[in-house]
Amino acid sequence: MTMFLQFKSQVSQVLTSALEANGLEITDLSFEESIHADIASSVAFRLAPVCRKSPKDIAEMLAGSIELPKDGLIDRVETAGPYLNFFANPTFLDRTVSAIRTQGPDYGAQTGRGKVILEHTSANPNGPLHVGHIRNSIIGDTLARILKRAGYDVETQYYINDMGRQIAIVSWALEHFDFDTEKKTDHAIADIYIKANKVLNDEPDKVAEIDELMQRIEHGDPDVAERFKHAVDLSMDGVKHTLERMNVHHDSFAWESTYVRNSDVSTTIDRIKDTGRAVVDDGALMVDLTDYGFEKKLVIQRSDGTSLYTTRDLAYHLWKAGHCDRMIDVLGADHKLISGQLKAVLNALGEKEPEIVIFEFVSLPEGSMSTRRGKFISTDELLDQIDAQALVEVEKRRPDTDDEFKHNVANFVGIGAVRYDVVKVSPEKSTVFDWREALDFEKQGAPFIQYSHARACSIMANAEESGIDMAALEHDISVLVEDQEIELIKYLARFPVVIESAASDLKPHHLATYARELADSFNQFYRYVPVLNAEAPLRDSRLVLVDCARTVLAIVLDTLGIYAPKNM
RNA sequence: GGGCGCAUGGCCAAGCCUGGAUAUGGCAGCAGCCUCCUAAGCUGAAGAUCGAGGGUUCGAAUCCCUCUGCGCCCGCCA
């Protein structure tokens, strides 16, 4: 158990005993986080009606009968009006520092919690990733990293929609328009996809050609399959490159067409028919989900016999259900309804359901983005602009360094800034993309956290240069008495709790918030507490603390998918 | 017409699930700090009827209801 939870459990025990001593019993101890204490309890409010006394009197009465165990982690309890404020003792601080030193990069890591298949990004291969897609990628990738640290065996998957209507259009477009071989392939695909949509819109008779392609792919025409694959590859090559640039990783790629070819789709349809929920309407096959609260039926087969995205997605989820303990899908807000229907069908089939993480849309100041209409800002363009702007910032701050250093720093600062800006916002908030804001390397974004890490590294490098062996240092917690030192250790102690809650709530932005607070705490320590100029015994303990802060900052940054620099 | 989500200083966010102490940060603007481990840092002052109205409660940014505004969605697209 983590240090903080041990502390909390001890507080819980002493408080319960104090309640018993006064003949009181209550299940909710009303713990809360507070700036006034390490753990606070407002239980006195709750007891007021029972005791017929003021909350303030009850708090004092309870505080008076609290007995602290000698070898525990609690330093003292204080009352502040109706509140009971508990504080951690030096043992707590000492064990936190020791745990970080011993565990190093494994601090806050658990193991053996089962297999998770986490699907994210899964953008259609009809063009490059745009700035809306990266919200999916960054939330998904960060979540995967958090779950790994929380002890899950995570496999991230990108589901490639390689047989949808838009791929038929791309494939058709490749035969009718010139493909710009000078451009990055995903961008060139978008160009002809936009053109094709315009033509299909102006000349509706050509739509029949798309319908024919759809028929042929459904029936396994090898020539059409080859053409589709070529189109998808061109798009995916570019997409993969963009993801790599952002340090977003997928362990595997699942191809939609697989589930048609291996007959999983027809098996799925049969299984749904067996539930007795399938009805035929105008020649199309639909599922009745009214008992799940869905008014309209879900179409799973067109009247021409071809399957739909939903059907293939169901087959895909059935496959996933058989290969993991938990499925997690990161999806855009437009998938809310369909993912609910998907869960309902899986439930009706008696199968595991995915946990859905929904994020709201990113729009442009002039309106929503659309690949089809060519209204989007590509992620590549954003990354290029960010990189250029980051270089300007490095030039300004480190003019004395060489070009390689500057470009290197600009790169990790830029990527970090993008990832942090996206992940720090809670997913249910819709956002508007703004160039001025995107290129503003505001304080307390990723560079702020990276900088804190670099500062910690710098202190350690200087120490080692002067002949100090970091690994051999001993620490004495009793000499670390400054507020900034104690605050910093308390923040370090919270890390495992933050990972656990981010993992269980599937909320990566909690980690982003923590990262900023930790960096903040370290920067205050850095400003007020001299390390290398301190007297030897004190200096050694402070160096150990710097090492711990560096370790945790590095873990946090890594879990956010952001590079932790030694120098910047 | 129905469903889901969002609304917090001039701007952008956290907090809301699980009600509790002067609502937490950043940006912009104001006033300061490098003879001291990297100033991408630190400090201070200023700035908020937490969309509106009602309700529950000893107590509401947080829970419930109504309304307004914005985004997304509502059977053979994905």
Side-chain angles (χ1 to χ4, degrees), chain A residues 337-521:
Chain A
L337 177 61
I338 192 70
S339 62
Q341 291 170 321
L342 179 112
K343 285 175 69 162
V345 175
L346 290 168
N347 182 280
L349 292 172
E351 292 284 351
K352 206 177 297 161
E353 296 168 43
E355 296 160 70
I356 312 282
V357 176
I358 294 284
F359 66 94
E360 294 289 329
F361 268 50
V362 180
S363 56
L364 299 176
E366 59 269 29
S368 57
M369 276 185 276
S370 159
T371 303
R372 183 170 50 79
R373 289 183 285 120
K375 300 251 186 238
F376 64 88
I377 291 168
S378 75
T379 300
D380 291 319
E381 186 185 352
L382 170 66
L383 296 177
D384 289 344
Q385 295 279 343
I386 288 274
D387 207 48
Q389 183 60 35
L391 192 57
V392 171
E393 301 287 335
V394 184
E395 295 279 7
K396 202 159 59 189
R397 297 162 210 271
R398 302 297 300 272
D400 51 322
T401 57
D402 62 47
D403 277 2
E404 194 191 340
F405 177 87
K406 284 172 184 161
H407 279 96
N408 189 27
V409 171
N411 183 259
F412 66 63
V413 161
I415 302 298
V418 170
R419 287 193 65 126
Y420 191 85
D421 269 352
V422 171
V423 82
K424 74 175 183 191
V425 180
S426 67
E428 62 268 20
K429 217 122 177 174
S430 51
T431 60
V432 178
F433 181 83
D434 180 276
W435 273 114
R436 190 192 56 79
E437 224 170 276
L439 298 177
D440 179 19
F441 289 80
E442 67 182 60
K443 219 166 92 163
Q444 302 210 326
F448 174 81
I449 303 156
Q450 290 171 310
Y451 187 64
S452 304
H453 180 266
R455 280 178 142 182
C457 290
S458 174
I459 292 178
M460 289 168 61
N462 288 337
E464 279 173 345
E465 206 163 296
S466 64
I468 297 169
D469 180 4
M470 283 299 298
L473 291 180
E474 301 279 337
H475 74 276
D476 173 5
I477 207 72
S478 67
V479 301
L480 300 178
V481 294
E482 301 294 335
D483 287 350
Q484 290 84 4
E485 293 168 330
I486 292 165
E487 275 305 300
L488 179 55
I489 299 170
K490 287 178 178 172
Y491 267 110
L492 296 172
R494 274 186 50 211
F495 174 65
V497 179
V498 172
I499 281 289
E500 183 52 33
S501 84
S504 63
D505 298 345
L506 303 179
K507 299 230 156 129
H509 78 279
H510 289 338
L511 183 62
T513 303
Y514 172 77
R516 177 179 53 72
E517 290 171 349
L518 178 61
D520 210 355
S521 178

Side-chain angles (χ1 to χ4, degrees), chain A residues 14-31:
Chain A
V14 298
L15 184 52
T16 305
S17 304
L19 286 163
E20 278 169 13
N22 288 280
L24 296 165
E25 198 182 345
I26 190 165
T27 47
D28 180 9
L29 296 176
S30 302
F31 287 132

Side-chain angles (χ1 to χ4, degrees), chain A residues 124-233:
Chain A
N124 289 330
N126 55 359
L129 295 178
H130 61 57
V131 294
H133 293 127
I134 60 174
R135 200 167 187 196
N136 194 323
S137 307
I138 292 167
I139 289 170
D141 190 69
T142 308
L143 208 42
R145 290 164 187 269
I146 289 169
L147 289 167
K148 272 180 202 163
R149 184 148 285 268
Y152 292 94
D153 172 17
V154 182
E155 177 177 345
T156 47
Q157 291 201 341
Y158 187 123
Y159 182 57
I160 303 174
N161 307 142
D162 64 336
M163 55 180 299
R165 196 170 188 83
Q166 78 292 105
I167 300 309
I169 295 172
V170 172
S171 171
W172 182 83
L174 275 167
E175 309 229 318
H176 288 79
F177 305 106
D178 287 332
F179 185 79
D180 187 346
T181 52
E182 299 294 307
K183 274 193 169 178
K184 191 158 169 277
T185 52
D186 48 345
H187 291 260
I189 286 285
D191 288 349
I192 60 167
Y193 178 67
I194 293 160
K195 272 188 201 165
N197 274 292
K198 199 166 281 173
V199 169
L200 291 167
N201 196 46
D202 296 344
E203 304 169 47
D205 53 306
K206 295 205 163 142
V207 171
E209 296 177 33
I210 304 298
D211 290 338
E212 195 206 327
L213 284 172
M214 292 296 288
Q215 283 281 351
R216 289 169 65 186
I217 193 72
E218 186 84 10
H219 294 105
D221 183 323
D223 179 48
V224 176
E226 187 52 43
R227 282 172 56 190
F228 274 38
K229 176 142 196 329
H230 178 61
V232 171
D233 283 345

Side-chain angles (χ1 to χ4, degrees), chain A residues 6-290:
Chain A
Q6 285 178 43
F7 170 64
K8 187 173 180 179
S9 140
Q10 289 182 14
V11 169
S12 187
Q13 275 172 32
V14 298
L15 184 52
T16 305
S17 304
L19 286 163
E20 278 169 13
N22 288 280
L24 296 165
E25 198 182 345
I26 190 165
T27 47
D28 180 9
L29 296 176
S30 302
F31 287 132
E32 54 194 66
E33 279 186 40
S34 167
I35 51 164
H36 308 283
D38 294 326
I39 289 181
S41 168
S42 57
V43 74
F45 282 112
R46 220 127 284 126
L47 293 164
V50 189
C51 301
R52 298 177 172 279
K53 281 203 241 177
S54 77
K56 184 172 180 289
D57 290 345
I58 297 167
E60 279 164 10
M61 176 184 80
L62 288 173
S65 46
I66 280 174
E67 289 181 30
L68 299 179
K70 276 201 170 59
D71 305 324
L73 299 171
I74 307 168
D75 186 59
R76 63 190 193 281
V77 57
E78 295 174 354
T79 61
Y83 297 94
L84 285 164
N85 290 333
F86 295 86
F87 297 88
N89 70 8
T91 306
F92 173 89
L93 303 177
D94 185 44
R95 290 201 191 151
T96 297
V97 168
S98 299
I100 298 169
R101 282 221 105 193
T102 314
Q103 296 166 30
D106 292 329
Y107 178 62
Q110 302 177 64
T111 51
R113 298 180 76 178
K115 165 99 179 191
V116 172
I117 295 181
L118 192 159
E119 179 198 340
H120 70 82
T121 309
S122 300
N124 289 330
N126 55 359
L129 295 178
H130 61 57
V131 294
H133 293 127
I134 60 174
R135 200 167 187 196
N136 194 323
S137 307
I138 292 167
I139 289 170
D141 190 69
T142 308
L143 208 42
R145 290 164 187 269
I146 289 169
L147 289 167
K148 272 180 202 163
R149 184 148 285 268
Y152 292 94
D153 172 17
V154 182
E155 177 177 345
T156 47
Q157 291 201 341
Y158 187 123
Y159 182 57
I160 303 174
N161 307 142
D162 64 336
M163 55 180 299
R165 196 170 188 83
Q166 78 292 105
I167 300 309
I169 295 172
V170 172
S171 171
W172 182 83
L174 275 167
E175 309 229 318
H176 288 79
F177 305 106
D178 287 332
F179 185 79
D180 187 346
T181 52
E182 299 294 307
K183 274 193 169 178
K184 191 158 169 277
T185 52
D186 48 345
H187 291 260
I189 286 285
D191 288 349
I192 60 167
Y193 178 67
I194 293 160
K195 272 188 201 165
N197 274 292
K198 199 166 281 173
V199 169
L200 291 167
N201 196 46
D202 296 344
E203 304 169 47
D205 53 306
K206 295 205 163 142
V207 171
E209 296 177 33
I210 304 298
D211 290 338
E212 195 206 327
L213 284 172
M214 292 296 288
Q215 283 281 351
R216 289 169 65 186
I217 193 72
E218 186 84 10
H219 294 105
D221 183 323
D223 179 48
V224 176
E226 187 52 43
R227 282 172 56 190
F228 274 38
K229 176 142 196 329
H230 178 61
V232 171
D233 283 345
L234 286 171
S235 216
M236 286 306 298
D237 282 351
V239 167
K240 284 178 187 175
H241 181 262
T242 305
L243 289 171
E244 202 176 310
R245 259 184 104 176
M246 287 194 298
N247 197 25
V248 169
H249 177 75
H250 285 93
D251 295 306
S252 56
F253 292 80
W255 295 70
E256 187 180 20
S257 60
T258 311
Y259 303 95
V260 175
R261 279 206 302 274
N262 71 4
S263 77
D264 276 7
V265 166
S266 54
T267 310
T268 303
I269 291 172
D270 289 342
R271 282 184 67 180
I272 293 168
K273 282 179 180 167
D274 289 344
T275 63
R277 291 173 173 274
V279 290
V280 178
D281 193 347
D282 283 341
L285 192 67
M286 310 186 177
V287 195
D288 187 339
L289 299 169
T290 44

